[in-house]
Amino acid sequence: MQRRKFLRTTGVGAAAAAASGAIAAPAIAQSAPELKWRLASSFPKTLDTIFGASEIFSKYVAEATDNKFQIRLFAAGEIVPGLQVADAVQNGTVEMGHTASYYYVGKDPCFALDCAIPFGLNARQQDAWMNWGGGREAMADFFKDYSIHAMPCGNTGGQMGGWFRKEIKTVDDLKGLKMRTSGFAGEVLSKLGVVPQQIAGGEIYPALEKGTIDAAEWVGPYDDQKLGFNKVAQYYYYPGWWEAGPQLSAYVNLAKWNELPKSYQAILEAAAAKAHTSMLSKYDTQNPKALRELVAAGTKLTPFTAPVLEACYAKANEVYADTMAKNPRFKKIYEPWKQFRGEEVLWFRVVENTLDNFMARLSASNKI
Amino acid sequence: MQRRKFLRTTGVGAAAAAASGAIAAPAIAQSAPELKWRLASSFPKTLDTIFGASEIFSKYVAEATDNKFQIRLFAAGEIVPGLQVADAVQNGTVEMGHTASYYYVGKDPCFALDCAIPFGLNARQQDAWMNWGGGREAMADFFKDYSIHAMPCGNTGGQMGGWFRKEIKTVDDLKGLKMRTSGFAGEVLSKLGVVPQQIAGGEIYPALEKGTIDAAEWVGPYDDQKLGFNKVAQYYYYPGWWEAGPQLSAYVNLAKWNELPKSYQAILEAAAAKAHTSMLSKYDTQNPKALRELVAAGTKLTPFTAPVLEACYAKANEVYADTMAKNPRFKKIYEPWKQFRGEEVLWFRVVENTLDNFMARLSASNKI
């Protein structure tokens, strides 16, 4: 009450109280309350670029609120296991999470559309879908069932296809291949004979070294180099067609979100945008150097052949058809998403690809 | 003082006062003062996607501050002519501006590096340079001389090469061509015989219709369609190699910036990031439909030939060499920028281009 009285004397009381949603949200009646939240990340601190996005996010929230709204970060496993962030936010164990939604395809494949699906949108196209293509609304409707308010909060950019101990020259070479991968990518690859293996980050290296697995995909040059995969597998394939532009998301427990003053909601949304653009551009800055070093140390940078990509694309479409048949909600989001993807690819064919390809040719002939 | 007293009673007074930079910035001693600023845009409201970025920016600032910090927007010409925004911010005529820095190459070519130069960075690479590649620091050092704090605030994505009344099959076809373009692009093209014409947006159509000019570049399908260029020129060329990813910037008068509490600085930075990602993705969503409609109405979508692009690239490098010789500061920023561009293009050649090109081939064969 004292706050209200003060505000009234400065002539903005009524407006501020209304803007803060004080009446609709009695739990937090002040327009600038002191809050201490916990954010559970799905990522270890060693993935410093992804974890760093949550650091940038919480830093901006603290600064924008004169440190009144503090969000404490916990790396994967500190208070919540990395792959249980959605549950923890849903249950209110923590107010917030930072995660990759495709980790939860086991609950519902719709989660993946918030992050990446095979032959999906690149990072910029994903932004377009989320911001103006109906994606944010479609996903909000879905996330409501999990009591989650989800905000785009980072992207890795297109990932690599992973590390292989032998060459993949034909589609047949995929048969029987034991590969660390998961989710939709695993489903697609298993249709071509791959045996997908779910292995946590820290255990990939020994599995690859011992030959327990033949291949493993992780992220991209910067993160892969740190785990030393180049020492135990020679071929570094690209592109990771299952992750053309995987989006990270900041999850807020929906009840907690609704209790926030409008000003804090705006601050969280804007801080997420700051972290979003910052993370992608950090990977884009770090990856070239790491890639150069890997290649200089003997890694064989190898593209998947067109027939391999085409076979994977055909199988991905089978997986989507199967998923739509089983899950009407997936169908409802996927069909307009697919239409949107077609429009984006059409547009990118014109200016972006033409100019990127011209610059690439200059680069290949050392004219840049 | 009453505010301080209130804050102290809630136990956050000292911290808030310290965080707000109250001691360092005596002009605005409150941690959440009421401010009314004016922002002069370089753009008319008809360029609704670009002007819209400033609307998103001011909306988030208002929401984040419970409407305490209000930024009123003025379209080009309302209080400041569109191409004089930098001066108005520098002089303190307005507290803020929203502009494309390359408008000011006449003052110093360094301005262009904040926005776009021929055969420069695409939108994502520009973000990487600004956020982690030293761009923000290099430009801040430059902008200090103009009393401007500049923040990235939007990008159009790669632009089209413009509307031509006749085909450009060879480099010779450029000779004597009167084309609406300006800045570095005009310099490069004039080395190949083009006669660059500086014409304001609203006057391009009649000039093209009458044949006073032979060609004109504006933005991309969405904006170009609104001005009706397709009715007076048949050939729509791509890519606009002089604008691979032009960045818009929000300018704040540096003294005004330094007076702000830290919380407001954080809010402005985060709101600019929100507008930044929002604007690019809006163009990416709007352009495909407009392009389809233009082509359906008879526009001939035509790529510049490789020899034309190569000739322009060679001339661009001459322009940069000339500029470096005359302007040591340009040299100081351009040389590491060029190195950075090389690294970015190298990295994009791997995952991004390969996957984009695969998707483009699917699109071209109607398999998407």
Side-chain angles (χ1 to χ4, degrees), chain A residues 17-203:
Chain A
S20 74
I23 294 157
I28 304 178
Q30 287 182 306
S31 69
E34 280 192 74
L35 294 178
K36 286 193 196 299
W37 277 15
R38 303 195 301 174
L39 180 151
S41 173
S42 285
F43 311 100
K45 287 182 183 165
T46 47
L47 283 173
D48 59 292
T49 314
I50 307 189
F51 191 82
S54 62
E55 292 174 324
I56 290 168
F57 171 78
S58 70
K59 172 179 171 285
Y60 271 92
V61 173
E63 284 184 9
T65 61
D66 271 340
N67 291 312
K68 290 195 193 83
F69 192 172
Q70 294 192 22
I71 297 170
R72 190 170 164 201
L73 308 178
F74 294 89
E78 284 185 9
I79 53 172
V80 173
L83 302 181
Q84 291 172 30
V85 166
D87 305 81
V89 174
Q90 183 178 4
N91 302 337
T93 309
V94 288
E95 292 87 356
M96 283 199 69
H98 186 235
T99 191
S101 293
Y102 64 9
Y103 289 155
Y104 314 105
V105 287
K107 295 178 189 294
D108 191 314
C110 294
F111 271 103
L113 291 156
D114 190 56
C115 176
I117 64 173
F119 299 100
L121 304 167
N122 67 26
R124 197 168 127 182
Q125 294 164 350
Q126 174 75 8
D127 277 357
W129 183 64
M130 290 305 279
N131 291 332
W132 300 101
R136 193 72 193 268
E137 296 79 3
M139 294 315 303
D141 184 60
F142 168 77
F143 275 117
K144 226 167 29 188
D145 288 1
Y146 296 85
S147 302
I148 289 170
H149 174 84
M151 304 179 286
C153 189
N155 198 304
T156 62
Q159 297 195 7
M160 291 292 289
W163 299 86
F164 290 69
R165 288 165 62 98
K166 61 164 196 159
E167 275 189 274
I168 305 299
K169 290 182 180 167
T170 68
V171 177
D172 277 352
D173 291 334
L174 292 170
K175 279 189 186 139
L177 194 87
K178 283 174 283 178
M179 180 170 177
R180 187 268 176 194
T181 187
S182 58
F184 269 124
E187 275 192 67
V188 173
L189 285 164
S190 69
K191 281 182 180 269
L192 293 167
V194 169
V195 187
Q197 314 277 315
Q198 293 228 25
I199 301 175
E203 291 155 37

Side-chain angles (χ1 to χ4, degrees), chain A residues 3 31 34 63 66 122 124 131-132 158 263 278 281 284 292 313 343-344 349 352 357 363 367, chain B residues 6 12 31 63 66 122 124 131-132 158 263 278 281 284 292 313 343-344 349 352 356-357 363 367:
Chain A
R3 177 163 184 84
S31 69
E34 280 192 74
E63 284 184 9
D66 271 340
N122 67 26
R124 197 168 127 182
N131 291 332
W132 300 101
S263 58
S278 182
S281 56
D284 283 340
R292 271 191 189 281
Y313 179 68
E343 292 296 291
E344 289 305 291
R349 280 169 63 190
E352 299 295 334
N357 288 336
S363 167
K367 287 185 188 160
Chain B
F6 162 74
V12 294
S31 68
E63 285 185 8
D66 272 340
N122 67 25
R124 195 167 130 183
N131 292 330
W132 300 100
S263 58
S278 182
S281 56
D284 283 341
R292 271 192 189 282
Y313 179 68
E343 291 297 290
E344 289 304 290
R349 281 170 61 190
E352 300 295 334
D356 279 357
N357 288 336
S363 168
K367 286 185 187 159

Side-chain angles (χ1 to χ4, degrees), chain B residues 135-158:
Chain B
R136 192 72 192 267
E137 296 79 3
M139 293 314 304
D141 184 59
F142 168 76
F143 276 117
K144 225 168 27 188
D145 288 0
Y146 295 86
S147 302
I148 288 171
H149 174 83
M151 306 180 285
C153 190
N155 198 303
T156 62

Side-chain angles (χ1 to χ4, degrees), chain A residues 272-291:
Chain A
K274 185 79 188 172
H276 185 68
T277 179
S278 182
M279 176 180 151
L280 176 60
S281 56
K282 192 164 187 183
Y283 267 121
D284 283 340
T285 306
Q286 291 165 326
N287 277 326
K289 179 171 172 281
L291 185 68

Side-chain angles (χ1 to χ4, degrees), chain B residues 289-350:
Chain B
K289 179 171 171 284
L291 186 67
R292 271 192 189 282
E293 289 171 359
L294 287 167
V295 171
T299 286
K300 294 205 162 81
L301 194 61
T302 317
F304 286 123
T305 63
V308 167
L309 288 177
E310 282 157 14
C312 293
Y313 179 68
K315 295 299 176 191
N317 285 338
E318 288 180 20
V319 169
Y320 299 141
D322 294 348
T323 309
M324 283 192 284
K326 282 183 270 182
N327 187 323
R329 193 161 207 172
F330 184 85
K331 184 170 191 283
K332 192 182 158 198
I333 307 175
Y334 174 80
E335 283 185 335
W337 174 93
K338 188 183 174 208
Q339 176 79 17
F340 188 84
R341 179 186 63 179
E343 291 297 290
E344 289 304 290
V345 171
L346 184 79
W347 168 233
F348 272 66
R349 281 170 61 190
V350 184

Side-chain angles (χ1 to χ4, degrees), chain A residues 240-262:
Chain A
W241 44 263
W242 49 89
E243 294 174 287
Q247 176 194 294
L248 288 298
S249 297
Y251 288 176
V252 183
N253 175 280
L254 195 55
K256 290 285 174 191
W257 175 262
N258 288 332
E259 281 176 10
L260 289 179
K262 286 271 179 283

